[in-house]
Amino acid sequence: AQKVTQAQTEISVVEKEDVTLDCVYETRDTTYYLFWYKQPPSGELVFLIRRNSFDEQNEISGRYSWNFQKSTSSFNFTITASQVVDSAVYFCALSEAERDDKIIFGKGTRLHILP
Amino acid sequence: EPEVTQTPSHQVTQMGQEVILRCVPISNHLYFYWYRQILGQKVEFLVSFYNNEISEKSEIFDDQFSVERPDGSNFTLKIRSTKLEDSAMYFCASKEGVPQSSYEQYFGPGTRLTVT
């Protein structure tokens, strides 16, 4: 069965520190997509990244980076030099492309960046 | 940039009342979705819709729920007789391409439904 686990419910770090949000997924498919979304206090879902299962290259976008490791079924997200504006709930998610395309979300990690 | 819009942004209704949440997907998109997020919890899939019929629905999407694309531009979610536990943020999403593809689902800003 498909499942996304974000073991960290809440994290607090001081501004400018680096922080990594963990994500572990389960799927039976060989073709699937992994996502990260940011949900600020205003409530909307902000798309951050989509990665397909055949592309294990790490990705960097500014202060954000993602580490995809199929061997451990993990898709971790790191924010470098965190800022107060990064405070939000972050969701990791999975879509099994071979079966259907609904997105299955993890429970989210609430990130507090302290000034 | 095209975006998914949802109205209203916040809806308050009394228990037992019918409510219709409206979404305008991106104009050339063919696949439509509703998701729900109870306050403080994860986002959950409700239903997907393609070619004027439901493609898949979750256990949450019981007989109280229905979806419709009444006029080729709007995509609606109706809850026939609201319960307190229907209070949540409802997100609409749309996608351009076929399933089993890499086309992105674009999410709307959400409608916060409060049932009193």
Side-chain angles (χ1 to χ4, degrees), chain A residues 62-79:
Chain A
R63 295 184 297 107
Y64 295 170
S65 62
W66 291 270
N67 183 359
F68 175 30
Q69 292 198 345
K70 287 176 80 168
S71 60
T72 56
S73 296
S74 65
F75 186 45
N76 296 338
F77 172 34
T78 297
I79 302 175

Side-chain angles (χ1 to χ4, degrees), chain A residues 7 9 16 26 29 40 44 47 49 57-58 60 81 95 99:
Chain A
T9 306
K16 297 182 185 173
E26 293 176 31
D29 284 3
E44 73 272 24
F47 167 80
I49 190 172
Q57 280 193 345
N58 290 335
I60 298 174
S95 174
R99 199 172 311 276

Side-chain angles (χ1 to χ4, degrees), chain B residues 54-98:
Chain B
I54 290 173
S55 306
E56 186 183 359
K57 58 184 181 179
S58 71
E59 295 174 352
I60 304 167
F61 194 88
D62 61 21
D63 292 343
Q64 292 297 312
F65 291 89
S66 62
V67 289
E68 194 178 32
R69 189 154 161 80
D71 56 13
S73 62
N74 288 282
F75 179 50
T76 62
L77 174 69
K78 182 192 291 186
I79 309 175
R80 289 192 183 82
S81 178
T82 50
K83 307 182 189 111
L84 294 175
E85 54 264 37
D86 293 326
S87 295
M89 180 79 96
Y90 289 82
F91 292 101
C92 173
S94 70
K95 187 173 84 167
E96 179 180 4
V98 298

